[in-house]
Amino acid sequence: MIWETCAADLADRVTHRSSRWRRPVARIPRHVFVPAWWEAEDDQWVLRDPVNEGQWYPAAYADRSLVTRVGPRHADRAKPDDHPTGRPTSSATLPSLVVRMFQHARIDDGDELLDVGTGSGYGTALATHRLGAQAVTSIDVDPHLVEAARERLATIGLHPTVEAVDATGPLPAKAGTFDRIVATVSVRTVPVGWLTALCTGGRLVTTIAGTSLILTAEKRADGAAVGRVEWDRAGFMHARHGDNYPAGSSALLAAAHDIDGDDVTTGPYPVVDVANAWDLDSMLGITVPGIEHAYREVGERRTAIMAHADGSWARATAVGSEPPTVHQGGPRRLWDILDGIRAYWLQHGELPARGARALVTPDGETRLARGKWRAIL
């Protein structure tokens, strides 16, 4: 099996023949950046550490994300019998999405790029192949990821600047350095350091944490940035500030499977798998950030559970599309908020977040507007 053939086939699948990203995808050996990865199997994480090209290349050159870190455990440092617990904390993003994020940035030859979220280093490699090493800076909060990416980039002859930095804090660059910033980690509000590092007229591409919303904005001379929420969608891990994510509400989410609510009502709409209903989940993420979800089906019986770190939780259960029995507790009624969003959708025919105009103030506050709808992050 020849990697060049696999990479060329991948380029055929994820780029148009006239795309300026076609050549980088066809020329970058993605397998170099994912020597091992985690896969979910039977409710646990299992290491995939390929011993030959037949095991390695089909996964490395598929248009799919490969989880490379779970909790604090890196796949390339793991043992075969390791089974880490927790949430994924880094991955090699599916190539088509990496290309789409770069396309949203409208990158021109000669632009200087800040790549936020080095991860495996594959996206950094694509950008460096296209723009040259002097034009690309990549940052990640994880020192091991940075070191590994730098070494793997060097093995294929690429030497961009790659540094270990918390992207939500000050950046190692002069003000106005970058023409483009592309983040493959999500943020709730745009870090001030990103706006400072972006030149006037420069373009930012990121995703809003807890949603599938892609935000694009161009910096004005007054330090603010204006743009929109794209009609496209993407999902990225939240930007981390340290070795792992906070514990969140996982314990409450688990407990909410069985406890009785302070309020028990009948809901007007069928049970929905919120996390996989992307527009609904995004609108809920704008309205009440930080909700965690669980969903299960046993025959025709469907159960959806939500929990928040403030102690709020909800469980809705029904058979098929029948009206659900809803248990809720804590300071907020999460399922009522969800039903309010669904009622808005039925009344207006769509949800307003996708396609909204965006203003990012110099201090990073993001304001969204579409029609009469407004939201401040």
Side-chain angles (χ1 to χ4, degrees), residues 69 74 76-77 119 141-150 152 164:
R69 191 177 189 269
H74 293 276
D76 59 6
R77 287 179 161 180
V141 72
D142 190 318
H144 171 72
L145 290 176
V146 166
E147 180 182 356
R150 189 185 293 128
R152 290 161 188 165

Side-chain angles (χ1 to χ4, degrees), residues 21-368:
W21 294 103
R22 189 177 186 85
R23 184 177 178 87
V25 174
R27 295 298 182 89
I28 295 299
R30 189 177 186 233
H31 68 281
V32 169
F33 297 93
V34 281
W37 61 94
W38 299 106
E39 288 187 2
E41 183 178 292
D42 297 329
D43 296 325
Q44 65 179 358
W45 291 102
V46 177
L47 181 67
R48 296 290 183 251
D49 187 9
V51 298
N52 57 51
E53 295 169 356
Q55 295 179 349
W56 198 359
Y57 290 2
Y61 294 96
D63 188 27
R64 55 177 284 207
S65 293
L66 298 174
V67 174
T68 56
R69 191 177 189 269
V70 173
R73 195 66 171 165
H74 293 276
D76 59 6
R77 287 179 161 180
K79 298 177 182 179
D81 58 350
D82 283 345
H83 300 289
T85 59
R87 297 161 57 187
T89 47
S90 190
S91 69
T93 302
L94 66 160
S96 62
L97 181 52
V98 175
V99 169
R100 290 200 339 259
M101 293 295 283
F102 286 152
Q103 289 172 331
H104 281 299
R106 302 175 185 172
I107 296 171
D108 292 320
D109 295 339
D111 282 345
E112 292 199 26
L113 169 70
L114 176 63
D115 167 40
V116 179
T118 308
S120 71
Y122 176 70
T124 310
L126 295 180
T128 305
H129 189 285
R130 162 84 190 278
L131 299 172
Q134 298 301 315
V136 177
T137 299
S138 185
I139 59 175
D140 200 292
V141 72
D142 190 318
H144 171 72
L145 290 176
V146 166
E147 180 182 356
R150 189 185 293 128
E151 291 176 355
R152 290 161 188 165
L153 287 159
T155 65
I156 62 172
L158 300 177
H159 302 277
T161 299
V162 187
E163 299 188 21
V165 177
D166 182 347
T168 63
L171 300 182
K174 295 184 296 183
T177 295
F178 298 104
D179 302 288
R180 301 290 186 268
I181 297 178
V182 177
T184 50
V185 293
S186 65
V187 290
R188 177 69 180 179
T189 56
V190 174
V192 173
W194 297 9
L195 292 176
T196 302
L198 196 63
C199 68
T200 300
R203 187 170 173 87
L204 163 70
V205 182
T206 187
T207 49
I208 299 173
T211 77
S212 61
L213 304 176
I214 300 174
L215 173 68
T216 62
E218 296 182 356
K219 185 178 175 180
R220 301 188 310 204
D222 64 1
V226 292
R228 62 178 290 179
V229 175
E230 298 289 340
W231 291 103
D232 195 4
R233 62 188 188 181
F236 287 104
M237 298 174 192
H238 295 202
R240 286 187 285 117
H241 305 290
D243 194 48
N244 203 349
Y245 293 116
S249 54
S250 56
L252 179 59
L253 190 69
H257 282 77
D258 301 308
I259 56 179
D260 291 331
D262 300 328
D263 286 346
V264 182
T265 59
T266 299
Y269 308 117
V271 173
V272 63
D273 181 2
V274 181
N276 287 305
W278 286 40
D279 284 355
L280 185 62
D281 185 44
S282 292
M283 196 68 192
L284 184 62
I286 291 289
T287 308
V288 186
I291 294 176
E292 295 187 30
H293 299 275
Y295 179 80
R296 62 186 179 187
E297 290 186 13
V298 180
E300 290 292 311
R301 188 175 183 82
R302 305 160 64 190
T303 302
I305 300 172
M306 300 192 291
H308 192 276
D310 70 358
S312 302
W313 64 274
R315 182 180 70 252
T317 304
V319 175
S321 59
E322 294 296 318
T325 300
V326 181
H327 289 252
Q328 300 184 86
R332 288 188 283 189
R333 298 297 178 253
L334 300 182
W335 200 264
D336 290 353
I337 295 171
L338 177 69
D339 281 344
I341 294 171
R342 297 173 80 177
Y344 182 103
W345 198 346
L346 290 173
Q347 180 181 355
H348 295 87
E350 61 179 349
L351 295 174
R354 211 173 301 278
R357 302 187 310 279
L359 169 66
V360 184
T361 65
D363 62 0
E365 180 182 88
T366 301
R367 302 173 185 173
L368 304 179

